[in-house]
Amino acid sequence: MSIKRVPLSEVPLTKEDFVSDQIVKWCPGCGGHAILKAVEKAFPETGFRKENFTFVSGIGCSSRFPYYINTYGIHGIHGRANAIASGVKIANTGLSVWVTTGDGDSMAIGGNHFIHTIRRNIDINILLFNNQIYGLTKGQYSPTTPKGEVTRTSPHGTIEHPFNPAGLVMGSMGTFFARVLDSNVRMMTEVVEESSKHDGTAVVEILQNCIIFADKAFSYLTDKEHKDEYQINLKHGEPMLFGKDNSKGIILKENRLQIVKVGENKEDDDMILIHDQYNPDPGIHRMLGYMRPPEMPRAFGVIRAAKFDTYDYLMEEQIRSAKETSGIKCVNDLLNSGETFEVN
Amino acid sequence: MSIKRVPLSEVPLTKEDFVSDQIVKWCPGCGGHAILKAVEKAFPETGFRKENFTFVSGIGCSSRFPYYINTYGIHGIHGRANAIASGVKIANTGLSVWVTTGDGDSMAIGGNHFIHTIRRNIDINILLFNNQIYGLTKGQYSPTTPKGEVTRTSPHGTIEHPFNPAGLVMGSMGTFFARVLDSNVRMMTEVVEESSKHDGTAVVEILQNCIIFADKAFSYLTDKEHKDEYQINLKHGEPMLFGKDNSKGIILKENRLQIVKVGENKEDDDMILIHDQYNPDPGIHRMLGYMRPPEMPRAFGVIRAAKFDTYDYLMEEQIRSAKETSGIKCVNDLLNSGETFEVN
Amino acid sequence: MSKNNNVTEKESAVIKFVGDSGDGMQLTGTLFSDTAALFGNDLATFPDYPAEIRAPHNTIFGVSGFQVQIGSIKINSSGDFCDVLVAMNPASLKANLKWVKKNGIIIVDVDAFDKKALDKSGYEENPLENNSLKDYKVVEAPISTIAKESLSDLSLSAKAATRSKNMVALGITGYLFNLDINSTYKFIENKFSGKDIIVESNRRTLAAGYEFARENELFETTFFVPKADLPKGRYRNVTGNVATAWGCLAAAERSGRELFLGSYPITPATEILIEFALHKSLGAKVFQAEDEIAGICSAIGASYSGSLAVTTTSGPGFSLKSEAIGLAVITELPLVIVNVQRAGPSTGMPTKSEQSDLLQALYGRNGECPVIVISASSPANCFYYAYEACKLSMEHMTPVVLLTEGYLGNGSELFRIPDVENLPDINPPIAKPNDPEYKPYARDPVTLARKWAIPGTEGLRHRIGGLEKFNIEGNPTTDPINHELMTKLREDKVKRVENYIPDQTVTGEDSGDLLVVGWGSTYGPIHTAVKELQNEGKKVSQTHFHYIKPLPKNTGEIFRNFKKIIVCELNAGQFVKHLKIEHPEYKYLQYNKIQGLPFVVHELKEKFNEILEEK
Amino acid sequence: MSKNNNVTEKESAVIKFVGDSGDGMQLTGTLFSDTAALFGNDLATFPDYPAEIRAPHNTIFGVSGFQVQIGSIKINSSGDFCDVLVAMNPASLKANLKWVKKNGIIIVDVDAFDKKALDKSGYEENPLENNSLKDYKVVEAPISTIAKESLSDLSLSAKAATRSKNMVALGITGYLFNLDINSTYKFIENKFSGKDIIVESNRRTLAAGYEFARENELFETTFFVPKADLPKGRYRNVTGNVATAWGCLAAAERSGRELFLGSYPITPATEILIEFALHKSLGAKVFQAEDEIAGICSAIGASYSGSLAVTTTSGPGFSLKSEAIGLAVITELPLVIVNVQRAGPSTGMPTKSEQSDLLQALYGRNGECPVIVISASSPANCFYYAYEACKLSMEHMTPVVLLTEGYLGNGSELFRIPDVENLPDINPPIAKPNDPEYKPYARDPVTLARKWAIPGTEGLRHRIGGLEKFNIEGNPTTDPINHELMTKLREDKVKRVENYIPDQTVTGEDSGDLLVVGWGSTYGPIHTAVKELQNEGKKVSQTHFHYIKPLPKNTGEIFRNFKKIIVCELNAGQFVKHLKIEHPEYKYLQYNKIQGLPFVVHELKEKFNEILEEK
Ligand SMILES: Cc1ncc(C[n+]2csc(CCOP(=O)(O)OP(=O)(O)O)c2C)c(N)n1
Ligand SMILES: Cc1ncc(C[n+]2csc(CCOP(=O)(O)OP(=O)(O)O)c2C)c(N)n1
Ligand code: SF4
Ligand code: SF4
Ligand SMILES: [Mg+2]
Ligand SMILES: [Mg+2]
């Protein structure tokens, strides 16, 4: 199991320790502002030393994040945030590494690095701003844009099935997946903190409203009329209840997650699932990740947080053990190892 | 639903119609030879016109395949076979397009094109030669190499969790997934033929023995002692039975696939699953794809073959409907559309 | 329409609209330009916007601008300095003041000059009040107020109402230039057809601005730019990116090949992709790929399977395509790669223009890997060079890189609409079914092009790929002599294209003291500068390159007749390196600007004069 | 040990082992070389194998070869033509006969010359029987039979037994050169330690071959190549790829930075990655990435977070890294990119060597994007140039491209082992905690390098990225003047490296009729050719470049003093283009070979003589 070696701060920190002096250049009303706020709030709670936070991003509106927070940061190139972050973390395991990326950056051009980072379980945190559109380039469809949507590059509607980020995370054997709404700053703050504590690649999908090019993409979830029915907030150890006054519950029956009305039927009530985010078996987490209205509510909160060895830990272990066992302690040893001969 | 527009051959074809005059340069004993044989056998069965088969590959031992079969073919660059094949098919929907690729080619460098092709459900066939090693570059670990394996680049054992190709296919909402052993030419031939008939991206994972760099990687499945217990051959519409004399069956209980002994318990016997490869819900297909010894047998045959619209079909549909409705019929119309004015 | 009878006729005028990135300056500028174009002015435009989508209000970096030059004479660029600046807030005034001609007119929305806005823009005092603008004719109009008032009885939010203030500004400017506001209405109606409330609010505010200017006799004199003396024909206003897409579509039609576009969005090339996507009715297949590599690789696949294949991008995406261009070169497939250059390196300044990918186009791949490289020099001629790129690529069976620039792609100018039937023929060397002579790498003895054998064709099954292969037969081989032969054949095939391109021409005398060499978007400013010096009697000529590799055959002959040669580029000197390699027998002076901005005429003239004076 | 007393002393000799790709020729050649090296011969080797892993038996394209030149004199290359060819089958004889010196010795496994093998190799008649080899001394040995017989009492499969036949060949050749077979045993023991049966079978067959040659007096005379007169010190045989890895490890140790390698396997660069992976005990972090882009991007991340970051690749992978190199340039981070060049374009001929990525190294990125480019010229000096690449990269805070070639990477030569303590110091400009002066893009006034501020350090939180940024402060900006300044600063920073590299040197007189210019792996053949001409009294000198960008400051001075300059390259002329750009004042002749093969001395001499004779 990986040991977190991010050093702790000697003094208590506050939000202000992370507020940057740079002008935030996102559009007024962009979901990014709330995310920034949540992160600024969560970071003091982690207890980590402020110099040990490092942000990495690709290109996109979301990828401007590193400029807006007072930490170390590198604004990379499009799609490569996770690859860069992998290097940052492996090389310097004492850092708490955060990736901010978009649905284009990590699901389109950066899809490969995304799944490989997850597969390796490198101990970084990925804040995936999923606004279902390419924001910075002004409104082309992305791999998460719903099929049929009209965008600047799909004047007749897209013909592509979108990715569900949860599907890719689970399909790559991910150990941590959470989903939050940009409008729920409280939950975002909690989830960001939980993510920071997870050993391994933590993916936080943030449904982020792009007010300019995909406004109201998530209003089907957040509208007054649907809110209660279409959202379930998962909490580890608690029953999966939702709806007005928690009147509904989720059970597993016939290999499908199904909704029951609470109190209608004792047998059903007993079957209501208790959320176990630490379950190593991804079976139910996967189903929770896929749930989608109108049949089922969309799941929010930490869906999966399983414990597996991290790549960076295993690498350090291999190096440690090689150092212990190998006779080659320095480069002079290396150069003189094997077959050599002396000329006098 | 996509309409296959691959024209049929006017004369019956035989294996010989596809045998190439090129020397096959794989190592003696390489699993590739059997795969080639299976394809040569299957193609006449498809009924397609021989000029309409087109092979596309990346780089790797597996990617030499196009040279060894007498069809149209393009040997591309490393990792890009699926992207090239997407273009081949979209541009020329009358072709039956086949990708031969390796675990490095499609899971490492080409992982992104792999998942996007699947997501879009482009009507191509992907023969994934999974030998769990980089063959052509002489034995480095690949994204499917089992954790801990010693290879030329992992002298102390790999520290990476491997991908399960089924996981990526399902995680990308794949419509067709099959798994076969290179040693089972009969099944390979059948599966290749079934793949050719599927509308959409058909992924056939072939467990291929690399006799030089990862010899016996699959012997845990094929050894005499394990063969019966560790393999189950799925057939659509048939019960999931395996083991010596089909003495075991698979049931779904407590959200897990489990093994029962046939005939021991009537209730269990009744629960033995009937394989439904066409089920649009990927739930059970996913579980089947993940099954793995020693707990469960590895699943072989067509695991999933669901019907969804293909990208290439939807694109042709959009073009057809635009042609019907738009006033712009030729480029002169286009140039003269909108605001123009005459100077005399 | 003008109430004020005092009208000054002008040969040309430069107008620039500037404001916040949400202020609609791009639409305003476009409507102004279209109206002038429809009237019959020649024109060239350049939009200049920040990378941020809606940058914070009233900040300098959030300023979005649109410049247009209209004229009764031939207009070659969007102009250096403006006659009229329309500034919607203090920040935009601050950022653009240096571009206003002395005594030029500055129209400001005086409502926007409040304390908060002034502070954010970094003005310590209100420039409207401290006499700092005394060298200009400042026209203060309460633009926001006019907008609000004219819409008061429409059920619009306050926000929507202020959003229409750009139309007030357009109305005022339209009045100033005696434009036919009725045609502007029509443009608005077309653009927002179906959205009646938007049409109505825009119409009203436009009228209100116009009336305000008229009623208040806002200007001492209004301007009138007469119709340009254009060659007969039908015209339209077109951006370089749109023209590029159209040129490819025309080539597809004329060659009888379906068009396939494999592309990934990137500023400033995205509009080409968008334009293709709009025209499904012409049968173009547009594949928005997951990245640039899939964009080009899908195009290579489409080319193999018989389509005219195109991929469009800008700098960083062009870098990503490097490896796959190599595949297209060695497979000898047609492929058009459009690079709308932007300021680099790396992400650089994505919304700014530069000419710094030329050497990458020539050399940015592993191995000896020649491609044809051509470039466009104006928004409208993007059409012709895109067509030419497609033609050369298919007829010579080799990839072609077409270099344009952000400045060309986003900029617009008048385009005389050709009849597609009159464009040159395109005859791709398609192999015939069952051709007994067919071999994958058998070549046309004159062009050295191999044949295009399309999957599905009877009797031509064959395989190609990225490995070196035997000439003629096409099977992979590492034979040493064959590799040398193939390397030379690939180079020679590109070289022989020089026999199929027009001779290089000179503007001005064929000999003289100074030859000014340029390529790409710099044609306009260089042309103006050279013409002005010629008018002053200086022995200066211009030669502007569109064909970069191969260079026109007569290049050396042209260079020979000038005492000095200067190569002007918007980079650190890339074409000049190419010339040093290809024509080492000449000496080249350089003028380079690496600011993400076009040349201005006076800096060029100054430089040329300096050189002419040096003995 | 020799039974035959007739021993001929030779200054040097070239031996080549050839056979099927499964025949173990690489191991045989390596053992031969190591044995000679241990004895004290100078040497250079070159393995030459097909892309196929185990190509079908007895085919020409399946031939694998290993050539070594040993000498008592300084050996600069693996030699042109061989004194001794050991051919394990007809195909390998057929493919290599043209490389055997007249009267050279050819040792064949006569057992392998059966009808089937002859047919597959394309021989119509058995060359051993038709007098076609009369110009050579052919030694027919029943090598397979000897192997089988000597192992008959070991419980080995027939296949395993025949696999040992290469050791019989080695035994024979060892006898021919009077090598100390006991040290060969030791190598075998080390290599296969733990696998007793393999050690035993190899030992036995080796001895059997040796004895067979001795008993049968196979050779009229045996050869003896005396110890070379090497400078004092400890030596070993090393390949260029291993030396490259070691050079980087040494630089990590001396700079106090951890080494991070982000790489993806590719022929012929994979061995560098493999070598790093072997030495975890030195703390190197080796990340086998999912592709080349992740390889370089992870390295950039590691560099940002404070490691000496390296990425290794070959042509196609280098193309894929183009975009990310731009990021390293604009973020001004240290990064070493090793490109072990192979024959292109595209996949090309992956196992063959070429020098055709030089222009890509210089220009293969979008925008104005300068990097330092250096190259190695021998397997052993890969160590020093790798070290130098790391040093320059860290001290000047800029990416460095190190160009080697397949020929260097796979080839080996004697390496005098240095003491790491004696290598030059490396002082990266690391920012100090809480440095009040720290600004991300504040620069050293002399080198122009910015500071390296490592995450985790107190008081230095800052952000960098791919957008253009203000000099000193480092915040993103599109300010025009700043962009021009930064572009020039990045170029100038690289240019100033000329003050930190050694002067270019000349072999021979400082002036004369002809200066032969080369770079990279061609040093050996050029050197030999030039020396031979000098010995003939010709006024020819050599200058060989290791520093490509920037060029050494005295380059022009050197060129000035020669009547003619010829640039010799294994490409179509890339360095010569660079020289035309950098030193347009000179005329350059060219000699180019694009065959995936090194120069041979006689072709160079012929060319040089031709030029010398032209007046
Ligand atoms: C190599 C490369 N290709 C394309 C681009 C253009 N580009 C910049 S951001 C972007 C997509 C942005 O979408 P997303 O990642 O979802 O971020 P958002 O702006 O929506 O937050 C694209 C296509 C680029 N900068 N670099
Ligand atoms: C861009 C690029 N990177 C790396 C390589 C080197 N390379 C060729 S094949 C290969 C991996 C082969 O593995 P796999 O795809 O599993 O195919 P196999 O040989 O095992 O069939 C690699 C790394 C290459 N040719 N091109
Ligand atoms: S374009 Fe969309 S995602 Fe980008 S800053 Fe504006 S609102 Fe946010
Ligand atoms: S190396 Fe392995 S995969 Fe490649 S041809 Fe040989 S046996 Fe087959
Ligand atoms: Mg997005
Ligand atoms: Mg493999």
Side-chain angles (χ1 to χ4, degrees), chain B residues 21-322:
Chain B
D21 60 352
Q22 294 293 299
I23 302 172
V24 178
K25 296 185 183 176
W26 289 315
C27 305
C30 172
H33 299 285
I35 304 174
L36 177 60
K37 209 163 292 167
V39 171
E40 287 170 349
K41 268 183 158 172
F43 274 16
E45 305 297 317
T46 64
F48 298 153
R49 201 164 154 272
K50 64 175 186 262
E51 284 82 5
N52 288 62
F53 287 98
T54 302
F55 270 85
V56 181
S57 66
I59 301 287
C61 293
S62 34
S63 292
R64 293 293 171 99
F65 196 101
Y67 294 117
Y68 305 153
I69 188 155
N70 189 5
T71 65
Y72 283 92
I74 176 164
H75 178 217
I77 44 179
H78 194 34
R80 316 304 171 191
N82 292 305
I84 296 170
S86 295
V88 169
K89 178 68 186 183
I90 295 167
N92 197 335
T93 51
L95 301 177
S96 177
V97 178
W98 295 77
V99 169
T100 54
T101 180
D103 44 320
D105 201 55
S106 264
M107 305 270 113
I109 188 169
N112 206 29
H113 312 306
F114 183 72
I115 60 179
H116 279 272
T117 303
I118 293 169
R119 173 174 74 80
R120 296 188 183 105
N121 203 30
I122 296 174
D123 187 16
I124 65 173
N125 308 277
I126 302 174
L127 305 179
L128 173 64
F129 292 34
N130 184 3
N131 55 10
Q132 302 187 348
I133 198 82
Y134 295 164
L136 191 66
T137 48
K138 306 196 173 170
Q140 302 79 32
Y141 65 91
S142 91
T144 61
T145 302
K147 191 164 167 187
E149 206 77 356
V150 170
T151 71
R152 289 201 70 200
T153 43
S154 57
H156 308 95
T158 75
I159 57 174
E160 305 194 7
H161 310 267
F163 277 137
N164 179 351
L168 278 186
V169 172
M170 306 292 175
S172 315
M173 280 141 313
T175 58
F176 186 104
F177 180 75
R179 188 186 289 126
V180 292
L181 276 162
D182 61 0
S183 50
N184 191 342
V185 173
R186 198 189 42 71
M187 187 193 280
M188 249 193 304
T189 310
E190 282 169 24
V191 163
V192 164
E193 202 202 323
E194 275 208 68
S195 154
S196 79
K197 306 241 140 93
H198 175 73
D199 288 333
T201 311
V203 178
V204 181
E205 182 194 7
I206 306 174
L207 306 188
Q208 174 234 356
N209 194 46
C210 170
I211 196 169
I212 306 294
F213 299 113
D215 195 20
K216 304 203 166 47
F218 306 109
S219 62
Y220 75 103
L221 293 172
T222 54
D223 272 357
K224 266 229 182 82
E225 29 172 348
H226 291 126
K227 216 171 110 160
D228 292 332
E229 302 302 307
Y230 283 1
Q231 295 184 28
I232 180 168
N233 294 337
L234 300 175
K235 272 231 164 259
H236 178 70
E238 294 185 9
M240 299 188 192
L241 297 176
F242 71 110
K244 209 164 181 311
D245 305 322
N246 277 345
S247 55
K248 297 184 177 178
I250 291 183
I251 64 167
L252 178 69
K253 206 167 161 180
E254 286 158 1
N255 193 37
R256 285 192 305 116
L257 296 178
Q258 310 193 8
I259 298 176
V260 295
K261 284 230 174 97
V262 176
E264 284 211 334
N265 176 324
K266 168 83 173 87
E267 203 179 309
D268 282 353
D269 285 359
D270 288 349
M271 281 174 71
I272 289 174
L273 295 168
I274 307 293
H275 183 43
D276 176 9
Q277 67 186 31
Y278 302 118
N279 190 349
D281 179 343
I284 299 214
H285 297 154
R286 200 180 285 128
M287 292 183 186
L288 291 169
Y290 274 108
M291 282 195 316
R292 189 186 276 293
E295 297 79 18
M296 300 293 291
R298 199 87 175 133
F300 291 94
V302 177
I303 293 173
R304 176 172 173 78
K307 299 206 187 310
F308 283 98
D309 282 343
T310 71
Y311 180 97
D312 30 311
Y313 168 75
L314 292 174
M315 176 170 287
E316 296 227 317
E317 271 302 296
Q318 272 196 346
I319 290 175
R320 199 189 44 68
S321 107

Side-chain angles (χ1 to χ4, degrees), chain D residues 343-603:
Chain D
S346 193
T347 309
M349 308 196 301
T351 59
K352 303 295 168 191
S353 204
E354 203 163 271
Q355 304 187 303
S356 53
D357 298 349
L358 182 127
L359 290 168
Q360 181 180 26
L362 290 169
Y363 301 120
R365 295 161 295 278
N366 58 300
E368 298 290 346
C369 198
V371 298
I372 298 172
V373 181
I374 69 177
S375 64
S377 61
S378 82
N381 78 18
C382 284
F383 177 85
Y384 293 100
Y385 288 101
Y387 188 88
E388 178 78 340
C390 297
K391 177 175 158 72
L392 292 175
S393 184
M394 286 189 282
E395 291 184 343
H396 297 265
M397 293 293 285
T398 181
V400 175
V401 173
L402 170 63
L403 294 175
T404 72
E405 297 155 48
Y407 191 73
L408 295 173
N410 290 327
S412 74
E413 67 175 354
L414 279 203
F415 173 51
R416 180 150 169 265
I417 301 169
D419 184 339
V420 172
E421 296 314 309
N422 295 335
L423 297 171
D425 286 344
I426 302 180
N427 296 307
I430 293 174
K432 302 237 159 50
N434 295 314
D435 178 352
E437 310 278 86
Y438 175 74
K439 304 262 183 205
Y441 282 78
R443 295 170 188 283
D444 179 290
V446 181
T447 62
L448 297 179
R450 69 181 195 91
K451 284 233 151 78
W452 199 358
I454 294 161
T457 313
E458 206 173 299
L460 303 181
R461 288 182 293 172
H462 70 284
R463 289 135 302 271
I464 61 174
L467 291 168
E468 186 59 285
K469 65 261 313 157
F470 270 117
N471 193 26
I472 304 175
E473 296 298 335
N475 296 324
T477 174
T478 57
D479 182 89
I481 301 302
N482 178 76
H483 177 53
E484 187 153 308
L485 173 68
M486 289 297 268
T487 305
K488 289 181 172 166
L489 281 170
R490 287 185 289 258
E491 184 69 43
D492 201 18
K493 183 176 61 163
V494 170
K495 175 81 176 151
R496 290 189 187 195
V497 169
E498 67 182 16
N499 299 320
Y500 299 85
I501 60 175
D503 266 1
Q504 183 66 12
T505 58
V506 175
T507 310
E509 297 294 322
D510 281 351
S511 63
D513 294 334
L514 179 64
L515 178 68
V516 183
V517 174
W519 67 281
S521 72
T522 57
Y523 174 81
I526 294 177
H527 187 76
T528 310
V530 167
K531 279 278 174 197
E532 289 183 20
L533 291 175
Q534 285 173 351
N535 292 341
E536 294 168 19
K538 311 266 163 78
K539 297 193 166 176
V540 183
S541 296
Q542 174 187 23
T543 189
H544 202 78
F545 284 84
H546 295 95
Y547 295 87
I548 291 172
K549 179 165 182 153
L551 289 167
K553 275 195 286 191
N554 64 329
T555 301
E557 276 163 52
I558 290 177
F559 288 179
R560 189 174 308 138
N561 297 316
F562 289 87
K563 293 207 185 111
K564 290 181 180 170
I565 302 171
I566 185 165
V567 184
C568 304
E569 300 179 75
L570 299 173
N571 59 34
Q574 300 205 355
F575 188 60
V576 73
K577 290 196 166 113
H578 183 49
L579 290 175
K580 283 181 182 172
I581 291 168
E582 296 296 322
H583 290 281
E585 61 277 22
Y586 302 104
K587 278 208 168 164
Y588 305 95
L589 302 166
Q590 287 178 232
Y591 187 65
N592 300 93
K593 182 170 175 179
I594 323 163
Q595 305 181 2
L597 294 174
F599 287 128
V600 291
V601 173
H602 82 90
E603 67 189 0

Side-chain angles (χ1 to χ4, degrees), chain C residues 286-339:
Chain C
V286 180
F287 179 64
Q288 182 181 313
E290 57 271 26
D291 65 8
E292 283 85 353
I293 298 176
I296 187 171
C297 285
S298 62
I300 290 172
S303 175
Y304 179 69
S305 78
S307 287
L308 164 55
V310 180
T311 187
T312 53
T313 192
S314 185
F318 191 58
S319 288
L320 286 172
K321 292 179 198 289
S322 307
E323 190 202 7
I325 295 175
L327 179 63
V329 166
I330 201 168
T331 52
E332 306 192 29
L333 284 169
L335 175 68
V336 173
I337 304 126
V338 182
N339 178 355

Side-chain angles (χ1 to χ4, degrees), chain A residues 59-63 78 101-106 109 129 131 133-137 140 142 208, chain C residues 264-267 292 316-317 320 342 347, chain D residues 323:
Chain A
I59 301 286
C61 293
S62 34
S63 293
H78 193 36
T101 181
D103 43 322
D105 200 54
S106 264
I109 188 169
F129 291 35
N131 54 11
I133 199 81
Y134 295 164
L136 191 66
T137 48
Q140 302 79 30
S142 92
Q208 174 234 358
Chain C
Y264 185 72
I266 186 167
T267 306
E292 283 85 353
L320 286 172
R342 64 190 219 186
T347 310
Chain D
E323 190 203 7

Side-chain angles (χ1 to χ4, degrees), chain A residues 25-33 60-62 129 131 133-139 208-214, chain C residues 52-54:
Chain A
K25 295 185 182 175
W26 289 315
C27 305
C30 173
H33 299 284
C61 293
S62 34
F129 291 35
N131 54 11
I133 199 81
Y134 295 164
L136 191 66
T137 48
K138 307 196 172 169
Q208 174 234 358
N209 194 46
C210 170
I211 196 168
I212 305 293
F213 298 113
Chain C
E52 287 74 27
I53 305 305
R54 298 279 183 277

